[in-house]
Amino acid sequence: MTSNEQNATPDLVIVGAGLFGLTIAQQAVEKLGVNVTIIDIRDHIGGNAYSYMDPETGAEIHKYGAHLFHTSNQRVWDYVNRFTKFTNYVHRVYATHNGEVFPLPINLGTINQFFRANYTPAQAKALIDEQAGELAGTDPASLNDQGISLIGRPLYEAFIKNYTAKQWQTDPSELPASIIKRLPVRFNYNNRYFKDTWEGLPADGYTAWLERMIDDPRITVQLETDFFDETQPLNKKALMAAGVPIVYTGPVDRYFDYDLGELKWRTVDFKEVRYDEGDHFGCAVMNFSDSDVPYTRAIEFKNFNPERADLQNPNKTVVWEEYSRFADRDDEPYYPINTEEDKALYAQYKAKAEAEPNVVFGGRLGTYAYYDMDQVLNQALVSYEKQVEPLLKK
């Protein structure tokens, strides 16, 4: 239920209507029958998983970039299927390099197309080992050398180097090797992007799924409500004074007014392009590996839902070009930068968070971590059991 009226005396206030907060709310109501109020500074629920329908094309737009559900966690899969059915969408990514399209992740098809060869799996593996061998026995300090040591110079320079430079706005020779622990190379023709047991998209959209999670009269949602705005009653100072249990999913450094410093994030900007054609790329996601294209990838939303073809405009399509950059304080934080300095700073904030009375911190912003959707859901289910329910039973 979405409402502008709050419960008079909520038993629990959740700051943030993303996946973590919605899951906590659903669990608290189902298991303890409490009254929950969710507040969010945005004008919609769902956090970054929110989507809406584009009237011109009939495409479901993922407002904060492509969200693809996949998991191997049985508990999470059973949980989400309570609220939505999933399509049979299987994610496959392609990359444009030097005017040619290749399948990703790098697999035997990519290798044979790139080298104009017909290598067997064993031959391809031997080739990659040989090409990576120029840095054998070294301990690469830079991402550039690490990439070469993992997959060899030709493939690294074609598909990783410039893409990474655009992602980080930094030459890979100046980035630490720790950013890429591994680079997947498959010595078969499997170009399915994810390896998880289950994969798909919510059959009638993300927002419908998320609305069902909180379709209960004991859950109230207040949108466009700032937790730090003391002119509205559900603010940090007032709730702390009243001793109301809080689940906080906003930026952890913001909660403490940045008193130890700011954690660093990367953000993403999107440029929308509309085409007078039914299908522009022929796939949902196209990476652009070369430096002369300023964006990292393009998302064509219609191609996430081919089962909706009859509901989509056959003569129009919409594409979002994705540009990555370092985030300022007022930007949407997407990916934690996680330098050693950031990790040390977060450890200090984490210690402060653990000492905060009646407050549970969660989600990617609250724990300064990047999570896939299934990881957020699992974290929320565990956090409810171990932290939130004991708090409510006090």
Side-chain angles (χ1 to χ4, degrees):
M1 179 180 73
T2 302
S3 171
N4 290 322
E5 296 181 3
Q6 69 195 62
N7 290 320
T9 54
D11 302 299
L12 174 67
V13 171
I14 297 173
V15 182
L19 277 173
F20 187 93
L22 299 183
T23 302
I24 295 288
Q26 187 278 325
Q27 290 283 283
V29 167
E30 179 175 87
K31 296 185 182 301
L32 294 181
V34 297
N35 289 317
V36 178
T37 296
I38 305 171
I39 66 172
D40 199 297
I41 198 167
R42 291 172 170 173
D43 63 359
H44 59 76
I45 68 165
N48 283 10
Y50 171 75
S51 66
Y52 62 91
M53 300 304 294
D54 177 62
E56 182 183 44
T57 63
E60 180 185 348
I61 305 293
H62 303 183
K63 183 173 180 177
Y64 301 93
H67 274 66
L68 307 164
F69 191 81
H70 53 97
T71 188
S72 295
N73 186 317
Q74 181 78 57
R75 184 188 187 190
V76 168
W77 183 242
D78 291 343
Y79 180 73
V80 297
N81 274 272
R82 294 177 53 189
F83 308 105
T84 184
K85 297 184 185 309
F86 285 86
T87 69
N88 60 3
Y89 176 81
V90 174
H91 192 47
R92 303 182 195 278
V93 173
Y94 296 86
T96 297
H97 166 63
N98 279 349
E100 192 171 349
V101 175
F102 296 83
L104 292 180
I106 295 169
N107 61 71
L108 193 55
T110 319
I111 294 167
N112 278 329
Q113 182 181 347
F114 184 78
F115 291 106
R116 300 295 190 266
N118 61 343
Y119 294 125
T120 65
Q123 290 170 331
K125 187 175 187 311
L127 175 71
I128 299 306
D129 289 345
E130 177 186 347
Q131 292 178 342
E134 65 177 277
L135 288 167
T138 66
D139 184 16
S142 73
L143 184 152
N144 195 75
D145 290 352
Q146 175 80 336
I148 294 168
S149 73
L150 290 170
I151 62 171
R153 185 179 295 276
L155 291 171
Y156 165 76
E157 292 188 345
F159 298 108
I160 308 298
K161 180 179 180 178
N162 293 314
Y163 188 92
T164 303
K166 289 188 287 186
Q167 269 191 315
W168 287 88
Q169 297 176 282
T170 305
D171 190 291
S173 64
E174 298 174 14
L175 291 169
S178 60
I179 289 176
I180 50 170
K181 304 293 186 187
R182 56 185 293 274
L183 287 170
V185 177
R186 297 174 183 165
F187 296 103
N188 56 36
Y189 291 95
N190 174 20
N191 72 329
R192 177 183 169 186
Y193 196 78
F194 301 118
K195 295 181 178 180
D196 283 305
T197 307
W198 299 286
E199 178 178 359
L201 295 169
D204 49 0
Y206 278 103
T207 299
W209 161 20
L210 302 170
E211 286 174 343
R212 288 188 200 106
M213 290 179 69
I214 54 170
D215 185 16
D216 189 291
R218 293 165 293 186
I219 298 175
T220 298
V221 179
Q222 281 188 224
L223 301 175
E224 299 180 275
T225 302
D226 185 351
F227 179 58
F228 302 100
D229 177 8
E230 295 183 6
T231 67
Q232 62 86 20
L234 295 177
N235 66 76
K236 176 185 173 183
K237 184 177 180 180
L239 292 171
M240 294 292 288
V244 178
I246 297 168
V247 172
Y248 177 79
T249 69
V252 62
D253 51 355
R254 173 68 182 93
Y255 181 92
F256 295 104
D257 199 25
Y258 309 104
D259 63 356
L260 300 176
E262 290 187 43
L263 293 165
K264 298 184 183 65
W265 295 80
R266 283 188 296 128
T267 191
V268 177
D269 296 320
F270 299 102
K271 177 184 176 184
E272 182 176 283
V273 184
R274 292 179 179 267
Y275 295 95
D276 293 328
E277 51 191 299
D279 191 352
H280 185 69
F281 285 114
C283 63
V285 176
M286 179 67 74
N287 285 8
F288 289 87
S289 302
D290 301 333
S291 59
D292 59 349
V293 178
Y295 45 93
T296 53
R297 63 179 184 170
I299 305 164
E300 186 164 9
F301 292 101
K302 285 173 70 173
N303 289 322
F304 284 133
N305 298 101
E307 77 283 355
R308 299 179 190 164
D310 291 346
L311 303 174
Q312 296 172 342
N313 187 334
N315 302 310
K316 300 278 187 179
T317 191
V318 57
V319 168
W320 280 18
E321 298 168 353
E322 187 171 307
Y323 300 77
S324 178
R325 62 179 173 82
F326 289 104
D328 295 324
R329 185 183 289 188
D330 294 331
D331 289 320
E332 293 288 352
Y334 277 77
Y335 306 103
I337 293 191
N338 266 333
T339 62
E340 293 306 314
E341 292 79 6
D342 286 310
K343 291 175 184 176
L345 180 57
Y346 172 64
Q348 296 178 62
Y349 275 123
K350 183 180 180 184
K352 291 185 65 138
E354 289 171 348
E356 197 74 357
N358 289 331
V359 183
V360 173
F361 291 75
R364 61 187 182 86
L365 301 181
T367 59
Y368 193 62
Y370 177 78
Y371 298 113
D372 288 330
M373 284 184 286
D374 67 320
Q375 294 172 313
V376 174
L377 288 158
N378 185 67
Q379 183 199 50
L381 292 169
V382 171
S383 180
Y384 173 78
E385 291 172 347
K386 293 187 174 181
Q387 297 174 279
V388 180
E389 187 167 285
L391 194 60
L392 292 172
K393 285 182 173 179
K394 276 186 178 180

